[in-house]
């Protein structure tokens, strides 16, 4: 489960493309929409669309790797999540591991990276919303991996290049 920067590294390593777009940075609580294939994915299948998530990025997936199945997108980014076909390898642009307190901490910690000097972020902090469905994703991922590994306990999982 590669999240945000880890997802960028995974994407580029597998042949996709990540780009920086300051005009379309997503910082705070946003909705992502699910692609139809998300209904068939064990991690995404029971999640609502739109799915409310926490975001904190100015880079995003421009092209997903060959063999990736796109699962989610947003207003500004054509891909917010994907899974590699046939293996439990996910790249997720948003932050399912963060709650509101975590986002507030990160906003204050990384303020200089995301905002102009002296910019007031109090309205952004006040606009943050809970993301209970997205928060379940890390646990669901572990559950999925346990099922896959139980089924393939003697096999080696290979990620397609």
């Amino acid at each position: 489960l590669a999240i945000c920067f880890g997802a960028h590294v995974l994407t580029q390593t597998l042949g996709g493309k990540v780009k920086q777009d300051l005009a379309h940075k997503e910082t705070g609580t946003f909705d992502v929409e699910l692609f139809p294939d998300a209904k068939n994915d064990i991690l995404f299948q029971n999640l609502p669309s739109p799915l409310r998530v926490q975001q904190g990025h100015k880079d995003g997936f421009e092209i997903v790797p060959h063999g990736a199945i796109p699962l989610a997108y947003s207003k500004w980014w054509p891909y917010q999540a994907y899974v590699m076909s046939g293996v439990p390898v996910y790249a997720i642009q948003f932050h399912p591991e963060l709650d509101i307190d975590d986002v507030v901490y990160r906003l204050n910690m990384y303020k200089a990276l995301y905002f102009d000097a002296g910019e007031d972020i109090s309205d952004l902090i006040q606009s943050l919303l809970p993301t209970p469905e997205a928060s379940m994703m890390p646990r669901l991922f572990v559950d999925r991996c346990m099922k896959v590994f139980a089924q393939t306990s003697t096999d080696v999982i290979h990620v397609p290049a």
Side-chain angles (χ1 to χ4, degrees), residues 1-8 26 28-34 43-44 47-48 50-57 59-61 71-74 77 79-82 90-98 103 106 131 133-138:
L1 179 60
I3 297 172
C4 199
F5 180 72
H8 297 159
E26 294 175 315
T29 307
F30 288 81
D31 286 341
V32 298
E33 300 287 339
L34 303 184
L43 184 57
F44 280 77
L47 296 173
L51 172 64
R52 185 181 298 154
V53 300
Q54 304 299 347
Q55 299 268 26
H57 63 94
D59 303 301
F61 311 137
L71 298 171
Y73 62 96
S74 68
W77 295 95
Y79 308 104
Q80 283 281 342
Y82 66 85
Y90 287 85
I92 298 177
Q93 176 64 51
F94 52 89
H95 287 275
E97 80 284 10
L98 300 181
V103 174
R106 290 170 61 105
T131 56
E133 292 88 2
S135 295
M136 297 184 319
M137 295 180 76

Side-chain angles (χ1 to χ4, degrees), residues 3-63:
I3 297 172
C4 199
F5 180 72
H8 297 159
V9 172
L10 179 69
T11 298
Q12 291 188 181
T13 300
L14 296 179
K17 185 175 179 186
V18 173
K19 75 171 186 173
Q20 185 176 85
D21 187 347
L22 298 176
H24 296 122
K25 69 180 180 183
E26 294 175 315
T27 306
T29 307
F30 288 81
D31 286 341
V32 298
E33 300 287 339
L34 303 184
F35 282 106
D37 281 337
K39 293 177 182 162
N40 301 320
D41 181 80
I42 195 165
L43 184 57
F44 280 77
Q45 67 188 1
N46 294 319
L47 296 173
S49 186
L51 172 64
R52 185 181 298 154
V53 300
Q54 304 299 347
Q55 299 268 26
H57 63 94
K58 52 190 173 183
D59 303 301
F61 311 137
E62 184 174 37
I63 300 170

Side-chain angles (χ1 to χ4, degrees), residues 59-128:
D59 303 301
F61 311 137
E62 184 174 37
I63 300 170
V64 296
H66 178 73
I69 301 169
L71 298 171
Y73 62 96
S74 68
K75 178 179 178 179
W76 301 119
W77 295 95
Y79 308 104
Q80 283 281 342
Y82 66 85
V83 62
M84 295 306 296
S85 180
V87 293
V89 176
Y90 287 85
I92 298 177
Q93 176 64 51
F94 52 89
H95 287 275
E97 80 284 10
L98 300 181
D99 63 19
I100 291 174
D101 290 338
D102 296 326
V103 174
V104 170
Y105 175 80
R106 290 170 61 105
L107 286 172
N108 287 307
M109 177 76 117
Y110 301 114
K111 186 176 178 180
L113 293 174
Y114 286 94
F115 303 99
D116 294 330
E119 189 173 348
D120 183 12
I121 63 170
S122 60
D123 287 344
L124 173 58
I125 290 172
Q126 291 302 313
S127 73
L128 295 172

